[in-house]
Structures are given as structure tokens and as C-alpha cells.
Amino acid sequence: MNELMIIIFAPLLAGVLAWLLDIKGVREGLGVIGAALPLAYLIQAYQTLGTQSSIQYSILLAGFKFEFLLYQINWIFAMIAGVVGFAAVLGMVSTARDSYEWLFALMSLTGVYGVFLADDLASFFIFWEIMTFGSFMMVLKYNRKASLKYFLLSVFGAYAMLIAIGIIYAKVGALDFATIQQAFYQDAMRGTFGADTLFSRNDMLLVFGLFLVAFGVKAGMFPLHVWAPDAYSETNQSYTAMFSGVLSKAGVYGMLVIYILLGTRLVYQFGRIGAAPKFGYIIALLGGLTIIVGGLLAALQEDIRKLFAYSSISQIGYILVGIGVGTALSIEAAIYHAISHALFKGLFFLIVATIVLRTGKTEFKDMGGLAEKMPITFAMAFVAILSLAGIPPLVGFASKWLLFEAVIHENMPILGGMIFFGSAIGFVYLIRFTYAVWFGQRPTELDDTKDAPLPLAIAMGILALLNVVFGIAPGLVAKELNKIFGKEVIGGTIYELNLGFGRYNGLFITIWLVVGIVIAAIIYFLGAKVRKVPVTDTYQAGNPVTMEYNLTIRRNFFLPLKETLAFWLRMSFDRLYQDIGNWVEDLAETLRHYVYNGNVQAYAWYLAIILLILALWGV
Amino acid sequence: MVDWRLFEPLFEFARKRSLWIVAFCTGCGGIEMPPLMTSRYDLERFGMMPNPAPRMADLFLITGYVTPKTLKRIIITYEMQPDPKYVMAHGSCPLNGGIYWDAYNAIKHLDKYIPVDVYIAGCMPRPEAVMDGIKKIMEMIENGTADGWKRYKENYEYYKKNQDELFGEGWREKEARKWIPWLMDKRREE
């Protein structure tokens, strides 16, 4: 048994066992082992990757040769899945209600590992479907409508991918990545020398478009993002840590697969804009729109889960921009942001899981002042907030800084504007979360809220620690990313990132930040006489207030923003898809009504018409 | 806590040169405030600034007659200011009721409810008179006689008794809850 098989199938096996045994305590243990085992093997594989460049394994089954390959780039993605998946599973120990959830959560983890480790399109597609199915079943348990929306869009994506695979197989005659990559490369060469190419311009456009739809759906790219807010919110929130943190990375990984397989051929066919390939620029532009749309909608949400769902969409936009720009630096920056997004968004959803578990409420109008009651969770939320907003000593800053530098370096003002706007709007919705959940006046029914349970606290601790460590020592990640291209794209030491035209030293900034905080603390504690006052002792224009007054803005926090955007908010892709769905239903109803009309003579006429057609055809 | 008594003269010097005013305009004196701040008399040269937040201010100007309804707000605002804080009363009304000496609805002696450091007589006092009062309070801050905030702490029972006599016990909660039935009606209407 190869270790790759253990990595891929351990979660599924654990999930099935947990589902079959269904003993409280045992299923949790099995789940944790199922998630920890791949992580352990991946860490072990790091040693092997240092000495040999890849680990591979293949099985012959049902006429297909399924190939799996572990090398630098997908080891990084698999590690994201390993760490965040493990944390999410730890969170599920507290929040999962039955063995059903264990089965499908672990099944989707298997799917993700399979997608990341696949080295041929057949296994890539099969594990893609396993991943989709597992996550669909997780959503189905909580909300049927949301799950069907997710499933329909995913199925469209998956079958778009299947058609693309079919076209590639028809022309190339192979499914493994190496042969396909070689074939496309040779095709580009043929084109360069003026010979006839295997794929025409339209073929390439079609294949690229189909792959873009397929991976765009999973990543939550702008016009295809509508499933995400519903699916991310209507499920076990610990699972969403994995759903948003890892499953959406499958879409991102897919975009990289486009580069790996079709890259040279697409660049040859469509050329470049500046340093970016034109096809990449499309991805980047859609990514930029994703940032803006996701960010603005996140700010207007009234539900904590929905806010982070849109925030997740918005952050994926950054990764797509980085991948789209397509230079070595921007791709490394994008993968770095994929790592940091997985770390802080996983953390965020675990925090949401804790809040939902402990208060049973999800809407901002029911919350406030929880920082006193849940100090550990608040500390974790603080790390996550700083990380997402991009405050220096945390990982979010390092990755966003790299992205900004990569985009600015290529002179792309539109994309630059989009990602800078996204960064600002990131602050906006995080302030909403910070203010409405943690600070302000606490509703009296939340007075006996307890802090996070131990497994959730450990899971949050792991992710928060990594957020801090990778932020202070960004070189740890950069060193691994450099191995993808086999050269030093991001230079520097483990504490410093050096791009040649810009430097960022995480340790230095941390030290100065600590020094600054110490100085501020000295000034504060020497001078101040601190007096604790109740929350109602606040200046309401001199009026006395009691706890019966709601002093915290809990609804319509960004009403002016909403009014400003009123024109744009009238356009909704959600409604567009809804309308298309309704038309299709109406069409089906109409067909049923007119074709299957229950009239025997009508059916006889159909027969006669078909015979007539056959006669005219000359059969 | 560090003992800062040695540095007290320095602090007093700093305090008197950056008096921030709570912009709480009561009565007719409210209209006499803007000329003080604007270009003709210009208080800013003394480092004074009108400020809407009591937590950031140290000078409380009572600019005219005080009704019991306003006095509740004045007391709440005064208690919200951090120490040290100074109160300056304009005009005759806070002094002894002024022309409202026989009104049922005006406070005759403001000093019974909150400690006043400097009174400025007149109805209304000219801006020059107010500036004279400001000069006076600066001197008092420097020599440490502007100690209303200390008196308020030491004699809190006295002030509390007077306040409660006027408004009745538990007036803060009663005042706050006064609006709740009305708000509930409003909500039902929506």
C-alpha cells in the first residue's frame, strides 16, 4: 500500500467506519484519526520530496490507469487540506450531531486529497465529484434549497469539465497530465513554426471556457458565486472551515492546472497583455470583480455566516488575480494567499461555529458584547481579524503584500485598483463583525454564554498559531513556494521577503510592533487612573439610559453604503439564475402538457410524422 | 500607580492652557458662546476648544438658567467627565435664579447640585467678562483653588441629597424608563 493511497483514502475509510459503528466517542475518535493520518503522512513525505522530486503511484482499474503524483506544488495544496481539514474535524468533535456528518465531511476531505494528488484527468474528475457529493450531502442535511442550488451549479461545472476532458482525450488520446502537457506544448511549437495545429483557435477557446466554468464554480468566481453564500452558511459551521478553506482551493488548484496543461498553447494562441497572458487576464479580471462584489455584499449581510461566506468569495478573488497575472511572482503570491486564506478563513468559520454552538444565534441583531463572555474565542477572532485585514505581523499581510507587489510590478492599474479596493472593503466588513458580535451592549439572554469547548479551542489554537508563525516568519512559506519554480523568485531569509524591488521583514516589524505596544502600555499605565464603568454609562447626549435601550447598532450597519449601491444591488446574478431555473421548469411543464397530452390520436400522429420523415430521408 | 505629586505644577500649567469645553449650551448664554469662539474674541488663543464629548473635556460652562429637566442632564454629563474638571457659571441665573427668582421651574442655586468654581455675573455677561472669568479660572487652576471636583467627591452626600430632594430617589432610572412605553407603542405602529 503506497502512502499516497493512505493519504487519499484514510479519511473516507474513517468516515465509513464512523458511520457504521455510530458510537458516540468512537466516531469522533475515528474522524480525528482519519484527518490526522494524511497530515502525518504528508509531513513525512516532505522528507522524501527533499531527496527525490516526486512520489507517484498508479492503479489499473476498470480500464483506466489512475495515476497519482505528489510533487512540490500539490504537496503545498495537500498540506493546506491537511492542516485546515484536521482543524475542522477537531471542531466537528464539538459541533457534529451524528455519524452522517462524519461520513460526508470525511468523504469530501478524501475528494480534496484526490483532486490535489491526481495526475490524470480521470482521477481528477472522479475525486472532484466525490468532493462535490460529500459537501452537497453536508449542506443537504441543513437546507434542501441551498444544497440543490450548490449541486446544480457544481454539476454544470463538473460536466463542463467532463466535456473539456472529452475534447482533450479525442484529440490527444491520453488522460495523464504529462502526455497532455507534452501534446499541448508540441502543438504550440507546431503553431510557432507555421504548421497545422491539432487544436484550432475555437477548440482552445472552448476548452479554456469550459475549464474556466468548471473551476470558477468551485472557487466561487464572480458570476458563478451565487451558491457559496447559501451553501457556506447552511451547514455545520465547523465543516465550513474546511468547505471554504480547502474545497474552494480545489477551484484555485484547477486554475493552476489550466496553466500547467494548456498554458503554453493558450499563450501561443491568444498572446499576452503586458507580462500577463490574455487568458490569465480574463481570470484576473473576473477575480477582481469577485473581490469587489464579494466584499461589498459581505458588508451588507445581516447574518454572521453569510458575511463570512461573501468574505470567502472576496478573498478567493485575490488568489484568482494572482494566478491570472501569471508571472512566477504573482503565482507564488497567489498560492501564498491561498495558504493564508485557508488559515484565517478556517479560523473564522471555527469562531462562527463556536458562536453558533454557544449562543444558538446567527444574526447580528441578536448578538453583541460577547468578548467578555468568550475571551478565548475573542482572542482567536482578534488574530483572524488582523490576519484577514492584512495587519503586519500576521500571515494575511505577507500574502497580500506579495500580491500587491506582483500586480504593481507588472503595471496593471485596473487590477491594482481592484485589489486595493478589496483590501479596504475587507476592513469594512470586519469592523461590522467586530462591532456587532464582540463589542457593545450584550443582550440579556446571552448573559450565561460559555466559552469555546476544548476541541474547538484546540482547533482554533492550531490555526491561530500558524497565522502568527507564518506571519512573523514568512520565509518559511516562501522557501517552499520557491521550490515550485526551482529558482529564487522570492528571496530573503526566513524572516524576510526580498523581491529585489521591495522588502518585508516580518520579525523586524513584530519587534517594532512589540516595542511600540510596550511604550504605549507604559504611557497608559503610568498616567491613567482606570475606572470600570457599566456599558450604560455612556454619553447619550446627557440622557440617562438603562439596559432596556439598545445602544448598539445591530441592523443595517452600512445603510448609507446600501443606499449608495442601490442601483447596482438591483442587479443580482442570484435572481438571474433563479429566473433561468423557473423558465426551464416552465418549459418542462409546457412540454409535458403539449407532447404527453394523453390523446391517443396525437401519439399516432407522432408515429406518422416520424415515418414521414424517415420516408423523406429515403430509408 | 506612580506618585506624580512632584510634577503637579507642570500638570497644572498644562491643564490651564488646554481647557476643553463641553459644548453644552443652556439658556440664553448659548447664543453668547459663538462670539467667544470666533474671530473677534477668539478663545482658541488660550488653548480652549469647544468639544461635543464630555469624556474629552474638562471645563463645563453653564451658560444661563437651568431647569430641573436640564439639570438632570447636566449632572449626568458632569459625572461623566474625567477628573480634574471645572465648572464655570455664566450670568445671574445659576447664581441665584436671576430674573427667574420666583419661577417654579428654574434652579435657584446651582451650587447646591454641582460645585461651581467661577461665577460670572451679568445678564448676559459681555465676552470680555467671560474672558475675565476664564483668566480667573486659569489662575485658580494654577494655585490649586479650583477644586470643585474634589468638593464634589468629598461632599457627595450633600449634593446627592439635594439632587434627590429635587428629583426624587432613583431619578436616573425613572427618567430613562419614561420613554420605553412610548417606544413600544412606536414599534407596534411600525
Side-chain angles (χ1 to χ4, degrees):
Chain A
M1 197 70 184
N2 188 284
E3 56 207 300
L4 294 190
M5 290 299 100
I6 298 173
I7 291 172
I8 294 173
F9 288 108
L12 185 61
L13 197 66
V16 171
L17 281 177
W19 178 64
L20 286 175
L21 292 175
D22 196 11
I23 306 161
K24 202 170 160 44
V26 174
R27 61 183 190 219
E28 278 83 1
L30 275 169
V32 172
I33 293 168
L37 212 57
L39 185 60
Y41 271 98
L42 278 169
I43 293 168
Q44 196 200 1
Y46 179 73
Q47 306 275 319
T48 325
L49 284 181
T51 52
Q52 68 199 67
S53 66
S54 63
I55 304 169
Q56 67 181 59
Y57 188 72
S58 57
I59 15 173
L60 276 165
L61 192 71
F64 284 101
K65 189 173 179 216
F66 295 105
E67 291 182 58
F68 300 96
L69 184 70
L70 186 67
Y71 59 108
Q72 192 57 31
I73 187 167
N74 60 12
W75 179 79
I76 291 172
F77 275 91
M79 275 304 285
I80 297 177
V83 173
V84 179
F86 180 62
V89 161
L90 269 181
M92 279 183 65
V93 171
S94 306
T95 58
R97 289 183 294 201
D98 51 22
S99 58
Y100 173 103
E101 291 186 23
W102 284 104
L103 172 60
F104 290 109
L106 289 166
M107 180 191 278
S108 59
L109 194 58
T110 284
V112 181
Y113 278 127
V115 167
F116 288 159
L117 300 187
D119 195 42
D120 68 315
L121 285 170
S123 46
F124 188 84
F125 179 74
I126 286 170
F127 283 106
W128 188 274
E129 288 298 69
I130 290 174
M131 171 180 80
T132 305
F133 179 70
S135 50
F136 160 69
M137 293 302 271
M138 285 301 287
V139 184
L140 181 67
K141 185 88 194 280
Y142 286 76
N143 185 319
R144 191 163 172 276
K145 194 166 175 297
S147 74
L148 284 179
K149 198 200 255 178
Y150 169 49
F151 192 64
L152 263 179
L153 276 161
S154 288
V155 162
F156 275 126
Y159 290 102
M161 176 166 35
L162 195 59
I163 294 168
I165 292 173
I167 294 170
I168 291 173
Y169 185 70
K171 299 263 185 187
V172 178
L175 283 173
D176 61 307
F177 282 1
T179 317
I180 293 171
Q181 191 184 6
Q182 193 64 24
F184 276 103
Y185 181 68
Q186 277 171 359
D187 208 29
M189 290 290 274
R190 271 201 290 275
T192 325
F193 295 127
D196 282 344
T197 49
L198 196 56
F199 289 86
S200 69
R201 186 189 160 84
N202 287 344
D203 287 341
M204 288 316 295
L205 211 57
L206 188 64
V207 169
F208 172 62
L210 289 170
F211 271 137
L212 191 65
V213 170
F215 302 137
V217 167
K218 201 41 123 204
M221 197 172 65
F222 160 56
L224 306 164
H225 65 277
V226 295
W227 61 269
D230 289 353
Y232 284 169
S233 56
E234 297 293 341
T235 183
N236 186 333
Q237 290 303 300
S238 296
Y239 175 69
T240 311
M242 192 200 302
F243 200 172
S244 148
V246 182
L247 265 67
S248 65
K249 299 298 172 300
V252 171
Y253 180 69
M255 299 285 180
L256 283 175
V257 166
I258 296 183
Y259 269 92
I260 294 168
L261 296 187
L262 318 177
T264 45
R265 181 72 180 82
L266 282 168
V267 173
Y268 160 69
Q269 189 75 59
F270 302 110
R272 291 174 178 273
I273 298 178
K278 239 177 215 165
F279 77 93
Y281 200 80
I282 295 171
I283 299 175
L285 215 54
L286 287 172
L289 286 173
T290 311
I291 297 175
I292 294 174
V293 171
L296 287 175
L297 288 175
L300 301 176
Q301 297 309 310
E302 297 295 320
D303 187 308
I304 181 171
R305 303 169 302 174
K306 281 241 161 90
L307 186 145
F308 283 119
Y310 275 111
S311 149
S312 185
I313 294 170
S314 177
Q315 296 299 315
I316 292 287
Y318 281 94
I319 306 171
L320 294 181
V321 168
I323 288 177
V325 170
T327 57
L329 174 61
S330 81
I331 284 182
E332 285 198 5
I335 298 173
Y336 200 147
H337 197 68
I339 294 168
S340 63
H341 173 253
L343 288 178
F344 60 66
K345 199 45 65 71
L347 183 50
F348 264 129
F349 275 110
L350 288 176
I351 290 156
V352 173
T354 314
I355 293 170
V356 173
L357 177 73
R358 285 309 195 199
T359 66
K361 298 181 194 313
T362 63
E363 289 192 45
F364 286 124
K365 70 176 166 62
D366 303 321
M367 286 188 263
L370 280 174
E372 277 175 47
K373 291 285 162 186
M374 309 168 90
I376 297 172
T377 316
F378 175 60
M380 300 300 171
F382 193 62
V383 171
I385 287 164
L386 293 185
S387 192
L388 199 158
I391 307 288
L394 291 153
V395 70
F397 179 83
S399 62
K400 278 190 188 179
W401 178 78
L402 278 176
L403 259 173
F404 291 162
E405 290 280 4
V407 172
I408 294 167
H409 187 60
E410 302 309 330
N411 289 326
M412 295 185 162
I414 298 172
L415 292 181
M418 281 167 158
I419 57 175
F420 278 114
F421 180 82
S423 199
I425 202 79
F427 274 106
V428 169
Y429 58 70
L430 285 177
I431 284 169
R432 169 83 158 111
F433 165 70
T434 320
Y435 175 79
V437 175
W438 301 110
F439 298 144
Q441 189 186 354
R442 189 173 46 247
T444 36
E445 63 262 33
L446 297 184
D447 274 344
D448 47 359
T449 310
K450 285 195 296 268
D451 208 336
L454 187 65
L456 259 172
I458 294 171
M460 288 191 285
I462 294 171
L463 292 183
L465 187 72
L466 285 175
N467 264 304
V468 175
V469 168
F470 286 166
I472 294 174
L476 284 178
V477 185
K479 199 155 56 81
E480 295 308 314
L481 293 174
N482 280 335
K483 285 185 196 161
I484 295 172
F485 291 100
K487 61 172 183 179
E488 200 169 75
V489 179
I490 305 170
T493 60
I494 64 163
Y495 295 116
E496 190 186 53
L497 302 178
N498 188 350
L499 303 179
F501 50 87
R503 297 201 299 181
Y504 165 65
N505 192 326
L507 187 68
F508 203 57
I509 279 184
T510 313
I511 290 169
W512 279 112
L513 194 78
V514 171
V515 168
I517 288 171
V518 168
I519 292 171
I522 289 170
I523 293 170
Y524 178 78
F525 285 111
L526 284 188
K529 251 182 252 153
V530 183
R531 177 167 62 105
K532 246 190 139 158
V533 295
V535 69
T536 50
D537 184 10
T538 179
Y539 192 55
Q540 297 294 315
N543 285 304
V545 283
T546 59
M547 282 300 277
E548 281 128 315
Y549 287 84
N550 180 11
L551 305 175
T552 311
I553 306 168
R554 299 210 180 104
R555 272 193 302 187
N556 277 334
F557 193 82
F558 288 119
L559 190 60
L561 181 67
K562 201 177 184 174
E563 283 166 355
T564 314
L565 294 174
F567 172 76
W568 297 101
L569 291 176
R570 251 180 285 152
M571 291 170 226
S572 155
F573 273 91
D574 207 359
R575 273 205 302 282
L576 177 70
Y577 295 136
Q578 201 85 52
D579 286 348
I580 292 173
N582 290 342
W583 291 337
V584 172
E585 267 181 30
D586 285 350
L587 184 69
E589 184 65 20
T590 312
L591 281 181
R592 194 184 66 80
H593 195 70
Y594 285 100
V595 178
Y596 302 101
N597 49 18
N599 185 343
V600 182
Q601 288 191 7
Y603 299 142
W605 273 109
Y606 298 157
L607 202 61
I609 290 166
I610 287 177
L611 285 175
L612 193 66
I613 291 170
L614 288 176
L616 286 175
W617 217 337
V619 177
Chain B
M1 277 300 295
V2 183
D3 193 355
W4 290 107
R5 260 177 303 181
L6 187 62
F7 298 93
E8 205 58 29
L10 180 68
F11 293 158
E12 297 295 10
F13 176 80
R15 268 175 207 143
K16 76 167 192 177
R17 280 180 190 239
S18 67
L19 288 168
W20 285 19
I21 305 167
V22 201
F24 195 107
C25 296
T26 55
C28 335
I31 207 69
E32 294 290 331
M33 293 291 292
L36 271 174
M37 314 292 175
T38 45
S39 51
R40 182 149 187 194
Y41 295 101
D42 190 16
L43 274 189
E44 246 184 83
R45 59 198 159 123
F46 303 125
M48 300 180 83
M49 243 173 65
N51 183 305
R55 301 260 195 227
M56 297 181 214
D58 45 10
L59 182 60
F60 200 166
L61 292 184
I62 310 290
T63 55
Y65 63 80
V66 174
T67 61
K69 196 172 174 178
T70 315
L71 185 60
K72 287 175 192 162
R73 272 80 185 170
I74 287 178
I75 291 166
I76 288 167
T77 309
Y78 180 71
E79 288 180 357
M80 217 169 274
Q81 279 176 259
D83 298 334
K85 52 196 171 188
Y86 317 102
V87 179
M88 212 164 91
H90 289 205
S92 321
C93 299
L95 186 58
N96 58 6
I99 57 167
Y100 304 108
W101 61 274
D102 60 347
Y104 70 95
N105 201 19
I107 302 302
K108 277 15 151 244
H109 297 283
L110 184 63
D111 213 6
K112 276 168 72 181
Y113 306 101
I114 57 169
V116 179
D117 293 305
V118 171
Y119 285 106
I120 305 161
C123 181
M124 283 307 295
R126 294 267 317 150
E128 290 94 331
V130 179
M131 282 156 72
D132 201 41
I134 287 163
K135 230 180 117 223
K136 177 81 186 155
I137 205 163
M138 282 182 171
E139 277 167 25
M140 285 172 71
I141 290 171
E142 196 157 25
N143 57 34
T145 46
D147 55 354
W149 55 282
K150 278 186 205 150
R151 276 185 280 137
Y152 192 69
K153 267 189 200 159
E154 281 158 16
N155 309 326
Y156 186 67
E157 284 77 30
Y158 166 76
Y159 291 110
K160 180 94 169 46
K161 184 176 69 71
N162 287 343
Q163 290 166 8
D164 284 350
E165 249 168 41
L166 187 66
F167 306 131
E169 294 256 349
W171 55 272
R172 282 165 220 256
E173 285 72 31
K174 230 181 286 165
E175 184 72 12
R177 298 226 166 84
K178 202 165 78 179
W179 299 101
I180 287 171
W182 181 78
L183 284 172
M184 289 295 145
D185 284 351
K186 268 278 185 212
R187 192 172 292 170
R188 237 170 279 137
E189 277 167 28
E190 275 166 9

